[in-house]
Amino acid sequence: MFPRVFLKPKEDMEVAQGFPWVFDNEIDYVKFEQKNGVNKSSLEECKVQDGQVVEVFANAGGFLGSGVINRKSKITVRLIGREHADKITQDTFAYYEEKIQNAYDLRKLYYDIKDSYRLVYGEADFIPGLIVERYCDIKKNVYLVVQFLSLSAEVFRKEILSALTKIIHPYGIYERDDAGVREKEGLQEKSCWLGEVRQEIITIKENDVLLEVDLAHGQKTGYFLDQKFNRAQVAKLAQGKRVLDTFTHTGSFGLNCFKGGAKEVISVDLSQEAIDVVNKNIKLNGAEKKMTAVCADVFDLLKDYEAKSEKFDLIILDPPAFTKNAKNIQKAYGGYKEINLRAMRLLNLNGILVTCSCSYFFDSQRFYGMLMKAAEDSKKKVQILAKYGAGPDHPVLEGYPKSEYLKCAVCRVI
């Protein structure tokens, strides 16, 4: 018998609807086998080893799914399947091969062999804690960047890597397990090539734009792939316009606008390392005559531009998450409102504002409410022309709201 985790009364509702996590304070008791028979104990006293597959049940006894237990984490059980544990463990290599194949087949509906995209999006692809980016460079070599962010992924490392190798046939696999979340799971951080050592810096092509990607040292997994289709839509609005691209990272929004026929593009980031990459990307795309990279604090620069009465036809705000928890929502609200208010003041008549938030905690209701208040305080009227989210390589899992995090609004300011 696999260990059985029983939830407290009424704690099963979210899990039954698709939520893939069980928190420590939701667990009533655990049943597990010992030499003297079946034991029933609290979570703290149970003898189940971290990393073991367990079955999860409602308090009344209804089966909810199977997962991996980790008492070092507040997320004590991450569900890896809605099947009974024996069906999962009888051939874990086949089980994860099927999951990786399903994720790959989904992406092939939207992306071709030359595209770069997120191949596995953790819980939303039913492999909790696993992130896999698929990069295709201009030489048609395929690289994978993998992150095992939870014990539930780490214990099946061999099976996952075997499936990725068999299905994708990558030229190289780089592990970016340098994220602090691993510490919360009781795992060490590490970053290295798995197998053959390849070049760390590659060039990919996105929407006809060439971009340098640092697999080993770039932010998170090297590049933010989730806005690819949004950048293509924004490029269509850039013809003949003066564009301000803020929090630019690698210059991707600005370069897409350049390809879309922008008259002038100014791309801004606080990081000099980011600006160095932007300048390389500007040269890669022959954009030197129309595009400029500026190293500056966006908040300060927007104030300065307003003081100097600078005007733009299209402004892009794509900041990092201003809050990564519920405690700092109000502070984040102030930051989002300030940059949006100032951007509205910097736009010419009927100018276009593309504004984003990648924070799950700053949800859509707060985001669009903030836009309304920013418009009110800047004495402007705003028409929302389109609302976008992350691309189809970041599917939203019903019952798991954290998988829907990105808001991207295209607005006309009048």
Side-chain angles (χ1 to χ4, degrees):
M1 182 185 85
F2 286 88
R4 295 185 171 188
V5 175
F6 286 82
L7 304 185
K8 294 176 181 177
K10 299 183 181 179
E11 295 290 0
D12 62 303
M13 293 179 62
E14 283 189 334
V15 176
Q17 292 169 355
F19 194 70
W21 297 349
V22 175
F23 293 93
D24 56 359
N25 61 356
E26 296 173 336
I27 296 173
D28 192 4
Y29 61 92
V30 182
K31 278 187 175 181
F32 57 97
E33 284 185 340
Q34 286 188 308
K35 291 181 181 179
N36 59 349
V38 177
N39 192 307
K40 175 181 174 181
S41 72
S42 67
L43 178 65
E44 293 77 14
E45 296 175 349
C46 81
K47 304 298 182 182
V48 180
Q49 186 176 354
D50 288 341
Q52 190 168 344
V53 176
V54 300
E55 295 188 335
V56 179
F57 291 82
N59 196 263
F63 175 71
L64 296 170
S66 300
V68 174
I69 192 167
N70 184 6
R71 287 176 296 169
K72 295 183 181 70
S73 173
K74 294 290 288 182
I75 307 169
T76 305
V77 180
R78 293 178 190 258
L79 294 179
I80 58 174
R82 299 289 166 164
E83 310 95 329
H84 281 282
D86 58 346
K87 292 185 178 180
I88 294 173
T89 57
Q90 64 186 357
D91 188 345
T92 52
F93 280 90
Y95 185 76
Y96 278 94
E97 186 177 324
E98 182 180 6
K99 289 198 171 210
I100 298 293
Q101 186 67 57
N102 286 340
Y104 185 42
D105 289 344
L106 170 62
R107 274 66 179 181
K108 287 193 293 185
L109 296 174
Y110 294 93
Y111 302 88
D112 67 33
I113 197 169
K114 297 178 184 178
D115 284 328
S116 299
Y117 51 81
R118 177 156 291 184
L119 175 62
V120 180
Y121 181 33
E123 282 79 350
D125 279 306
F126 311 104
I127 311 180
L130 179 69
I131 300 296
V132 183
E133 311 282 37
R134 178 194 182 275
Y135 291 107
C136 184
D137 72 5
I138 56 175
K139 298 176 183 177
K140 299 182 182 179
N141 293 319
V142 173
Y143 297 80
L144 298 180
V145 175
V146 298
Q147 289 185 311
F148 296 88
L149 300 177
S150 69
L151 183 61
S152 63
E154 184 72 35
V155 294
F156 294 108
R157 164 187 286 267
K158 288 183 181 179
E159 290 88 340
I160 289 166
L161 291 174
S162 173
L164 289 171
T165 301
K166 182 177 180 179
I167 294 167
I168 307 300
H169 307 291
Y171 179 68
I173 302 179
Y174 197 86
E175 182 175 2
R176 284 293 300 269
D177 280 331
D178 49 1
V181 67
R182 276 177 64 91
E183 185 179 346
K184 297 178 181 179
E185 290 282 308
L187 302 170
Q188 292 183 337
E189 294 184 25
K190 53 186 173 180
S191 184
C192 61
W193 287 101
L194 301 178
E196 290 289 329
V197 175
R198 305 297 188 185
Q199 63 269 34
E200 295 176 349
I201 298 176
I202 64 172
T203 301
I204 67 170
K205 195 170 189 178
E206 178 193 86
N207 304 333
D208 204 32
V209 171
L210 296 174
L211 296 160
E212 183 180 281
V213 175
D214 188 337
L215 303 179
H217 305 103
Q219 287 188 32
K220 292 191 176 180
T221 51
Y223 180 67
F224 298 112
L225 295 160
D226 52 357
Q227 295 256 41
K228 173 182 176 175
F229 293 115
N230 300 344
R231 295 179 189 119
Q233 292 299 319
V234 172
K236 296 176 183 179
L237 305 173
Q239 177 71 41
K241 291 182 171 60
R242 188 181 190 218
V243 178
L244 177 62
D245 166 32
T246 66
F247 307 99
T248 190
H249 187 221
T250 58
S252 49
F253 261 115
L255 286 161
N256 273 268
C257 288
F258 162 73
K259 290 289 185 176
K263 177 176 63 177
E264 179 188 2
V265 179
I266 299 173
S267 291
V268 186
D269 202 282
L270 178 62
S271 165
Q272 184 59 55
E273 289 182 1
I275 292 300
D276 291 342
V277 173
V278 176
N279 279 320
K280 290 178 184 177
N281 287 336
I282 287 172
K283 290 181 180 179
L284 273 175
N285 291 277
E288 296 95 328
K289 292 182 179 180
K290 292 189 176 181
M291 191 167 173
T292 306
V294 176
C295 185
D297 182 296
V298 172
F299 287 86
D300 293 339
L301 189 67
L302 292 176
K303 290 178 189 176
D304 185 53
Y305 279 162
E306 187 177 349
K308 294 178 179 178
S309 299
E310 291 275 2
K311 290 293 180 181
F312 297 89
D313 306 301
L314 170 61
I315 296 177
I316 301 153
L317 302 175
D318 187 22
F322 284 168
T323 180
K324 295 183 179 181
N325 56 60
K327 295 179 181 178
N328 295 322
I329 288 176
Q330 200 55 42
K331 183 178 179 181
Y333 183 98
Y336 284 119
K337 183 182 174 186
E338 180 179 346
I339 59 174
N340 278 274
L341 184 150
R342 293 190 183 280
M344 290 175 188
R345 290 174 177 170
L346 291 173
L347 282 166
N348 283 318
L349 182 65
N350 295 329
I352 300 295
L353 173 64
V354 179
T355 180
C356 311
S357 167
C358 61
S359 172
Y360 157 72
F361 293 97
F362 201 77
D363 59 23
S364 292
Q365 184 176 357
R366 287 189 178 90
F367 179 70
Y368 288 103
M370 173 277 300
L371 273 182
M372 180 178 67
K373 291 299 294 182
E376 179 183 346
D377 289 355
S378 63
K379 311 300 182 185
K380 305 287 184 180
K381 295 292 183 184
V382 168
Q383 294 173 306
I384 297 177
L385 309 180
K387 294 181 179 180
Y388 300 123
D393 57 339
H394 291 67
V396 175
L397 177 63
E398 282 298 313
Y400 180 56
K402 282 181 176 291
S403 57
E404 186 173 15
Y405 64 97
L406 181 64
K407 284 77 62 181
C408 177
V410 179
C411 312
R412 186 169 74 151
V413 180
I414 52 180

